[in-house]
Structures are given as structure tokens and as C-alpha cells.
Amino acid sequence: MESKKPLVSIIMNCYNSDQFLKEAIESAYSQTYLNWEIVFWDNASSDNSANIAKSYDDRIKYYSTSETSSLGDARNLAMKKVSGKYVTFLDCDDLFLPEKLQKQVDLMEALKLPLCYGSSIIINESGVEIKRPKVKNKSGYIFDRLLNKYEISMNTVMIEYNYLVEQNLSFSNNLYYCPDYDLFMEVCSRSEVCVIHDFIGKYRSHKNSLSSKTLDLAPYEVK
């Protein structure tokens, strides 16, 4: 039965993200893998994001805060609310492809590794495909290769929750451009990881994204 399969917690961190939010949520509801929840963390939005999130059923667990915090801090706060064995991340302007969760759970259950990522299609603001950069690495210990060329797209990551707890790992509260890079590279420095070459998500590139707004911090923070 589907209910006996591992629960996956999909974390959605939201700050004034109503433009693409419904499309992002629908991509979760379109998954072929059914045993999931959405932990929706509203980081003090002032737009229509809350109403959109609350218009769905109880598979979306809605939480909000009165003050906006850094993305790393917001991700950590959302992480404390998860119930799943595995955690994955869906930013409000990105999309999951339908078989994302199924493919990742199957591989992680088979290989017993703490993190998995795959290929992501890059789309523009209108949803039109820009390019298809396929990941190159194979499952295993790939920290040195990622140092040379980082290829992990946030919307394709799945991670085992208990591993983070046992290793005392979390997102940095002091990084604004790349708290995800910091955490995932820490995991990859300690363990082998799973890599899926298939396209399992879509990353939306647009001028109002947080990564675009904090791009000037990238060289310093990555270093």
C-alpha cells in the first residue's frame, strides 16, 4: 500500500511568491508517488501567498511567522516541522516533474545513502524551456568533483532527515546566496550520495528570484 511507503516532506519556503505559487504546488499534487506532505513556511508574506496555500487540502501544513528571516533560518524553521523520512525542497517559482519523488525514493531506499539529486530543466518567467543541463556525476563519493564543478540544483535534492539530525547539520543562518550549497557540500564531504541523470525538476530563472537579487554575494559566500 502507498501509505506504507516512506513519507516525503516537501518544504516550501515562501516570501511574497504568489506569482508562480499555484503552478509550483500543482506540480507536487501531480506526483506519481502519493505519500507526501507539504510543509509550507510563510516568511511574513504580504501578498496572496497565504490564501493560495490555504486553498488546498490538509496535505499542506501551513506555518507563518510575523517577521521575515534569512532563507537559511526559514529553511531550518520549516525543517523542524517535517514528519517524513525524506525531505525535499520546492521553491515557489520552481516545479517538480511527475516522477521526481518516485525515482528518488526508489533509489535512496535501494542505495541507503543520505542525499540524492538529479537533472533540472531551466525555464524562463513564462515557463519556456531555456536549456537542459544534464548532471555529469555518478552516485558515490563526489565531493572533489563538486568542488571543481557544482551541479546540484536545489529543486532536485532529496535528503534523509535523520541523517541531518544525527550529523547535527542545518542550513547556515549567515549565508544569503548559498545556504543550500553550504549544507549539501557538507553532506557530500562526509558521505557518498545518489545521482539521477534523468530530468526530475524545472528551475525558473527570472529577475525577481532570490538568487538573482543576491547574486553579488555569490563569490564571497562560495569562497
Side-chain angles (χ1 to χ4, degrees):
M1 294 177 59
E2 187 73 34
S3 61
K4 292 185 178 180
K5 294 183 178 181
L7 177 65
V8 176
S9 295
I10 303 168
I11 289 180
M12 296 190 74
N13 286 98
C14 177
Y15 175 67
N16 290 340
S17 303
D18 61 0
Q19 182 178 3
F20 306 110
L21 181 55
K22 186 173 179 61
E23 190 178 358
I25 293 174
E26 292 293 337
S27 77
Y29 276 81
S30 297
Q31 290 298 297
T32 58
Y33 188 89
L34 302 179
N35 195 22
W36 54 264
E37 64 174 4
I38 290 178
V39 174
F40 192 95
W41 190 265
D42 188 345
N43 201 4
S45 297
S46 58
D47 63 359
N48 198 42
S49 296
N51 290 330
I52 294 173
K54 291 177 181 179
S55 70
Y56 290 83
D57 58 27
D58 60 5
R59 298 179 77 178
I60 295 185
K61 279 72 174 178
Y62 176 87
Y63 302 93
S64 63
T65 181
S66 59
E67 295 184 2
T68 304
S69 60
S70 70
L71 181 57
D73 188 44
R75 291 202 197 284
N76 288 333
L77 291 169
M79 193 80 78
K80 294 178 180 178
K81 303 297 185 181
V82 305
S83 302
K85 177 178 181 179
Y86 298 115
V87 178
T88 190
F89 306 91
L90 179 57
D91 288 343
C92 298
D93 44 7
D94 295 336
L95 302 166
F96 286 168
L97 291 181
E99 295 185 348
K100 177 192 187 290
L101 299 185
Q102 185 70 64
K103 289 180 177 180
Q104 291 193 289
V105 171
D106 287 348
L107 187 59
M108 292 187 75
E109 288 286 283
L111 298 184
K112 306 298 183 185
L113 296 177
L115 185 145
C116 180
Y117 72 93
S119 300
S120 185
I121 299 167
I122 300 176
I123 59 175
N124 66 13
E125 191 165 351
S126 302
V128 176
E129 183 178 320
I130 300 173
K131 57 182 176 179
R132 289 179 167 241
K134 205 159 193 179
V135 297
K136 305 296 184 184
N137 292 319
K138 297 179 180 179
S139 298
Y141 184 79
I142 56 173
F143 177 70
D144 55 341
R145 295 174 192 159
L146 291 171
L147 276 177
N148 184 54
K149 183 175 175 53
Y150 188 72
E151 63 173 9
I152 301 178
S153 180
M154 181 71 179
N155 68 318
T156 72
V157 169
M158 181 176 284
I159 195 162
E160 185 179 10
Y161 177 74
N162 282 341
Y163 177 86
L164 295 179
V165 175
E166 292 165 1
Q167 297 288 321
N168 194 29
L169 294 175
S170 61
F171 292 98
S172 171
N173 296 330
N174 301 316
L175 297 174
Y176 293 88
Y177 177 77
C178 60
D180 52 332
Y181 173 91
D182 176 64
L183 175 60
F184 302 151
M185 286 296 279
E186 186 66 45
V187 173
C188 293
S189 74
R190 301 183 185 196
S191 175
E192 295 182 84
V193 299
C194 309
V195 182
I196 294 177
H197 293 106
D198 296 345
F199 289 97
I200 56 176
K202 292 184 179 182
Y203 169 80
R204 194 184 305 267
S205 176
H206 61 99
K207 63 181 184 299
N208 292 322
S209 67
L210 182 61
S211 56
S212 296
K213 293 177 180 178
T214 57
L215 189 60
D216 58 322
L217 298 173
Y220 168 75
E221 290 193 359
V222 172
K223 183 179 179 180

